[in-house]
Amino acid sequence: MRDMTETTPVELLVCTTCRRGLPVEDDAQRPGALLHKALEQAGLPDGVTLKPVECLSNCDQGCSIVLRGGPTRWTFVYENLTETEHVETIVDGATKYLAAEDGLVKWRERPEHFRKNCAARIPPIGALK
Amino acid sequence: MRDMTETTPVELLVCTTCRRGLPVEDDAQRPGALLHKALEQAGLPDGVTLKPVECLSNCDQGCSIVLRGGPTRWTFVYENLTETEHVETIVDGATKYLAAEDGLVKWRERPEHFRKNCAARIPPIGALK
């Protein structure tokens, strides 16, 4: 188990085009880009790769992130995140996700915001018959 | 392009445990299971494999489905689906998804319900730098 969690890459995708329902001037940084920037400086664990993406199509409940990690892990989409309130939450949740072979962190161990703001989870590729 | 779309498997995942916010007696079939059953009989195209899953964690907006298809396609989560109203919609959307190499069906060609009820989309694995 240890080998698998150490070698299977985990990606943290952040929607950088998210406006979080706010009016944003063309030349202003969007909330999604600010969240991405805050996570760049947040000290994510080795093994979690932060990647910007354009639109996760969850605009009404942004900002949104995805945690995914190879063919063995469930994929999770989390929503209603802000760069001022939830950076620590995301680091905590990503760290636990990295440590879980199948990506399923025990319910009571998940950050509260993750428990209440999961947009969707998707089973691992190849897990279904 | 033709070869790729013909050989890359497409999966249609249906959350069969979904209650769609309704009170469901223990021995009654759940709305998600009814949607799955209706899709079994709906004549999905060859190349689209229907698979039941337990909880996509989008319970407040169920019933929910996922369309995904190998490492080249975006993954989509759609919501607010019923077995009485949306079987044809799902077959139509899945058929177009199968035909799209990257899973991105042109906006105006997507079924209206898909345009208005996309819970999330996730980029293909390996597509990000």
Side-chain angles (χ1 to χ4, degrees), chain A residues 93-129:
Chain A
T95 302
K96 289 171 177 167
Y97 181 82
L98 175 67
E101 184 183 357
D102 57 4
L104 295 172
V105 179
K106 286 178 184 169
W107 182 258
R108 65 180 179 278
E109 294 175 6
R110 294 182 201 178
E112 183 179 1
H113 187 88
F114 276 21
R115 290 202 299 265
K116 295 182 177 176
N117 292 273
C118 179
R121 64 172 204 167
I122 301 169
I125 291 173
L128 305 172
K129 293 170 185 169

Side-chain angles (χ1 to χ4, degrees), chain B residues 92-103:
Chain B
D92 179 32
T95 303
K96 289 170 178 167
Y97 181 82
L98 175 66
E101 183 183 356
D102 56 5

Side-chain angles (χ1 to χ4, degrees), chain A residues 46-66:
Chain A
D46 290 344
V48 175
T49 304
L50 179 68
K51 296 188 176 181
V53 300
E54 288 190 6
C55 195
L56 293 167
S57 200
N58 185 38
C59 313
D60 290 344
Q61 304 295 330
C63 295
S64 305
I65 63 166
V66 170

